[in-house]
Amino acid sequence: MLPWKRVFRPLAALLLTAAVAAVPAATAHAADAAPSSGWNDYSCKPSADHPRPVILVHGTLGNSIDNWLSLAPYLKTRGYCVYSLDYGQLPGVPLFYGLGPIDKSAEQLSGFVDKVLSATGAGKADLVGHSQGGMMPRYYLKFLGGSAKVNSLVGLAPDNHGTDLDGLTNLLPYFPGAEDLIKATTPGLADQIAGSAFLTKLNAGGDTVPGVHYTVIATKYDEVATPWRDQYLSGSDVHNVLLQDLCPLDLSEHVAIGLFDRIAFHEVANALDPAHAKATTCASAFS
């Protein structure tokens, strides 16, 4: 092997990790450390108006608190019982979640859904996920029996058909061993590369399963889950939404759509309660 190839062998892996790190996780928190005025309150009982608990599923390198400091209170104040989990932690990696094999992360989600349903007495839950958190639950729905326990899945910038990271993953063949390095060290990242074995299995035979309502909320300024149109799902019960069709002034990119975009949050609320949906516009930022 040429010397430059030995030097740059891990480069693609490092670049891929850095790009996905646009999803922030400032500090790791335990799920039971959620603000007392916020969510993860297992004494909460769903109301007649909002009979299903909402489970928030963070993105790659996110966690159960930091990813939801805005959306969880937004939903809580609207009368929902709201919960969030950590998943996909690698051994010896204390701060960043969502890096483990995604099929194993889906198993963790399965256990968490059962825990929430048991605590609340609800028959089904609604799932809202950001980035990987909007895509990973589809494995749970399709292969782990989740469709019997979930009413709707709402994805904020979900990489449903993988990502090329604005073309960055196209460089992998130029760095021999880089893709194997990613698979070995951060399998959750490797699973999200467009064309991966995981995504091929996930999307084979159709994007959706019967009985679940799907909503995808995307932004054309996404720089992580790219091309952004690959976030969309196909199916008979799918609502694909582009933020800029709702508000042309919305400049949110991949991180902002999940962390603080109230226009996106308004559309999440519509997806959770379509019977009382109100038109999402630029003014929704102040609602």
Side-chain angles (χ1 to χ4, degrees):
M1 181 183 293
L2 294 175
W4 70 269
K5 287 186 178 180
R6 289 198 299 269
V7 172
F8 289 104
R9 181 171 181 169
L11 179 59
L14 295 175
L15 289 174
L16 181 62
T17 302
V20 179
V23 182
T27 307
H29 300 275
D32 59 4
S36 60
S37 61
W39 65 104
N40 283 334
D41 175 5
Y42 286 90
S43 67
C44 184
K45 297 301 179 183
S47 66
D49 289 337
H50 301 304
R52 294 177 299 276
V54 177
I55 297 174
L56 304 177
V57 190
H58 65 73
T60 306
L61 300 179
N63 63 60
S64 62
I65 302 302
D66 293 337
N67 213 140
W68 307 119
L69 289 173
S70 295
L71 181 56
Y74 180 96
L75 295 174
K76 185 71 176 177
T77 59
R78 283 157 176 77
Y80 290 93
C81 293
V82 181
Y83 303 87
S84 60
L85 76 156
D86 289 318
Y87 69 86
Q89 184 178 24
L90 293 176
V93 181
L95 297 178
F96 305 108
Y97 295 84
L99 294 173
I102 297 182
D103 57 346
K104 300 302 180 183
S105 294
E107 293 176 5
Q108 292 178 277
L109 174 62
S110 177
F112 190 80
V113 171
D114 288 348
K115 177 182 177 181
V116 169
L117 293 181
S118 177
T120 60
K124 289 188 176 184
D126 289 321
L127 306 181
V128 178
H130 180 213
S131 192
Q132 180 189 161
M135 174 271 288
M136 176 269 280
R138 293 179 49 228
Y139 189 94
Y140 162 59
L141 299 176
K142 194 169 188 177
F143 299 110
L144 302 178
S147 60
K149 303 174 183 179
V150 172
N151 174 72
S152 61
L153 170 61
V154 183
L156 291 159
D159 51 345
N160 280 314
H161 297 95
T163 177
D164 66 3
L165 283 171
D166 271 339
L168 186 61
T169 61
N170 296 329
L171 298 176
L172 289 174
Y174 296 96
F175 301 100
E179 190 164 358
D180 291 338
L181 178 64
I182 297 171
K183 291 178 181 178
T185 57
T186 53
L189 296 182
D191 285 346
Q192 294 178 76
I193 297 175
S196 71
F198 171 82
L199 288 166
T200 298
K201 177 181 178 180
L202 176 63
N203 293 314
D207 292 345
T208 64
V209 295
V212 179
H213 309 292
Y214 295 83
T215 299
V216 173
I217 304 172
T219 170
K220 68 180 182 181
Y221 300 113
D222 202 309
E223 78 286 20
V224 176
T226 56
W228 65 262
R229 289 179 179 83
D230 285 355
Q231 299 174 23
Y232 282 177
L233 294 171
S234 297
S236 59
D237 197 350
V238 172
H239 182 45
N240 292 313
V241 181
L242 181 65
L243 273 182
Q244 287 71 35
D245 287 341
L246 305 175
C247 175
L249 300 178
D250 194 322
L251 301 179
S252 290
E253 40 65 71
H254 188 80
V255 174
I257 192 176
L259 266 61
F260 53 76
D261 188 334
R262 291 177 70 91
I263 297 172
F265 295 175
H266 190 273
E267 195 63 12
V268 169
N270 282 346
L272 294 176
D273 189 8
H276 299 95
K278 298 179 181 179
T280 301
T281 67
C282 294
S284 300
F286 307 101
S287 64

